[in-house]
Amino acid sequence: MLEVIQIPVLSDNYVYLVHDPDSRHTAVVDPAVTAPVLDELARREWVLTYVLNTHHHWDHVGANLELKEATGCTVVGFRGDAARIPGIDRMVGEGDWLELGSCQASVLEVPGHTRGHIAYWFQEADALFCGDTLFALGCGRLFEGTADQMWNSLCKLRDLPDSTRVCCAHEYTLGNARFAMTIEPDYPPLLERAKQVERLRAAGRPTVPSLLAEEKRTNPFLRADDPQLQSRLGMGGLPAVEVFAELRRRKDHFRG
Ligand code: ZN
Ligand code: FE
């Protein structure tokens, strides 16, 4: 079974190592910085096989070239964004498979945050690496894509199994919880989760990864088609994408 190691770096980024014990192949997802990744690899005596990039932002590809230089690993990224992924060796897109030893990841195109954002889904390991598309109780900002694209991308991720671990790239959950509470302050599952998030963060502990089942139940950005949330916004019966766009706008202006 795959091992997933979470490495907190910078102020709020998470970098992940994915390791197959049988083949000893190892991938790093969205390496922002080099040293913490090399340290963790050395400590575990793991050799890097792949860099997997979800999108081109510097806090996701910052260590690509140094890691490639240091380990000779293969850099994987979206083929439509090849010009913006430093050191890219292998170009992938929707439906492509990637082998890590005997385990496989499928590639999902999830544009919205950027126009070339992808996610890696390791089905057998129940692990989704979704970069800055889906966050715990939140979603990425629309830097390059439209609300329509992002809503479709989130719906694609929402279709994955409940047991999926959402390994996103930032610890933004506390701010996201406070925003979600402005939308549905008396929705019991959200209330409970928000309290738990406050407790975890107060103790300096990560809230990521979360379970996709929990995101489906409490993440407002996955519930733009939920009649209860819609009526909370006074948008009952409107197209989900309009409700999503309104949520995203409000979050953009939210100062928690
Ligand atoms: Zn980003
Ligand atoms: Fe980021």
Side-chain angles (χ1 to χ4, degrees), residues 12-13 30 55 57 59-60 113 131-132 135 169-170 172:
D12 51 39
N13 278 76
D30 283 352
H55 66 297
H57 284 156
D59 61 317
H60 300 257
H113 176 68
D132 291 356
F135 292 127
H170 290 275
Y172 287 160

Side-chain angles (χ1 to χ4, degrees), residues 136-137 170-178 193 197 201 207-208:
L137 283 172
H170 290 275
E171 178 62 64
Y172 287 160
T173 320
L174 189 55
N176 289 341
R178 289 174 180 168
R193 188 172 180 200
V197 167
R201 293 311 292 153
T207 64
V208 174

